[in-house]
Amino acid sequence: MKVNIYLVDGCELAVGFKEFQETFGELEKPPLITVLKVAGLANPLCLVEIDAIAVVEEENCMCD
């Protein structure tokens, strides 16, 4: 799993991590987290955006 946290410039770093913890909870093995400061987000009312990518291994996958 990899997580990107986008913070609007001027927003405290702790705000992004707080949102991450509220969304994902306590994880035994935390993922790689990248934090990026941005000028703004698509929704101007938002200060934080979290984007995550995860790979889940399927059991008995019949993939070619």
Side-chain angles (χ1 to χ4, degrees):
M1 185 165 142
K2 180 188 184 319
V3 175
N4 294 320
I5 301 174
Y6 300 92
L7 295 173
V8 172
D9 198 23
C11 190
E12 292 291 324
L13 186 62
V15 171
F17 283 115
K18 180 179 178 225
E19 291 301 321
F20 170 79
Q21 289 177 329
E22 287 179 7
T23 302
F24 293 96
E26 286 290 321
L27 299 173
E28 185 178 314
K29 294 181 181 179
L32 171 68
I33 300 172
T34 302
V35 179
L36 300 128
K37 291 276 190 160
V38 295
L41 298 169
N43 182 339
L45 298 177
C46 293
L47 298 175
V48 177
E49 181 177 317
I50 299 175
D51 158 16
I53 298 172
V55 175
V56 179
E57 186 176 326
E58 288 188 45
E59 292 184 31
N60 302 320
C61 180
M62 301 295 285
C63 303
D64 290 322

